[in-house]
Amino acid sequence: MTAKQYRAAIAALGLSQVGAARFLGVDGRTSRRWIAGERPVPEPVSRFLRYMVAAKVTPEQVEKLI
């Protein structure tokens, strides 16, 4: 997942950069680095976000399951 795709995915899910970091359980700096393209988005995160967007699953729905 590219930085552009990451930005698009979190936007599609209605998450801010900080909200995405909290939701994914990573430090805010990590999310910023993914957005800036400084670090690659890990494959499990990429797959999870792609699934959520494709299946139209909201972060709130995921939180209810946890």
Side-chain angles (χ1 to χ4, degrees), residues 36-56:
E38 295 173 9
R39 299 264 192 244
V41 179
E43 189 60 27
V45 172
S46 174
R47 286 181 183 211
F48 181 58
L49 292 175
R50 285 183 174 139
Y51 167 78
M52 287 183 66
V53 171
K56 298 180 181 172

Side-chain angles (χ1 to χ4, degrees), residues 12-24:
L13 296 170
L15 294 169
S16 66
Q17 182 178 322
V18 172
R22 284 188 192 132
F23 176 69
L24 295 168

